[in-house]
Amino acid sequence: MLYAILGRDAPNRLEQRLSVRPAHLERLNALLSEGRLLLAGPLPAIDSPNPGPAGFQGSLIVAEFASLDEARVWADADPYVAAGVYVGVDIYPFRKVLPA
């Protein structure tokens, strides 16, 4: 089943985010190579694709996992969690409708 993972950034964590980004992307690329990643990307803190020093307010990942528990275990092991970038992570079952 698909799950939407919404990581919420703690304030003033842009430097930490950038420092652990390669490890974060490595995990996402592993999901992609397994055919389990639908989409992933950051949520800019301002209305701009390149927010500069304003940074990000979080990230959205939609990926396939066997269960909600498996999605939680995967999300809890994210480098952004370990580095204190995320102040919290919410996970929701997701049903893709469009595009078909």
Side-chain angles (χ1 to χ4, degrees):
M1 177 165 188
L2 292 173
Y3 294 90
I5 301 170
L6 181 60
R8 293 174 281 112
D9 282 21
N12 304 311
R13 292 291 195 258
L14 182 58
E15 186 176 317
Q16 289 91 339
R17 177 183 262 273
L18 295 176
S19 72
V20 296
R21 186 172 185 262
H24 172 77
L25 292 177
E26 183 177 324
R27 297 179 79 239
L28 291 171
N29 279 317
L31 286 178
L32 182 63
S33 70
E34 295 167 7
R36 297 171 45 202
L37 182 65
L38 185 65
L39 64 88
L43 305 170
I46 60 173
D47 190 12
S48 172
N50 298 307
F56 301 91
Q57 57 188 328
S59 301
L60 174 64
I61 299 163
V62 179
E64 184 178 351
F65 293 93
S67 67
L68 181 59
D69 287 339
E70 183 183 307
R72 170 59 60 196
V73 167
W74 185 90
D76 286 347
D78 194 286
Y80 284 171
V81 172
V85 174
Y86 289 159
V87 68
V89 177
D90 298 312
I91 303 174
Y92 306 95
F94 180 81
R95 193 180 89 184
K96 181 179 178 240
V97 175
L98 295 172

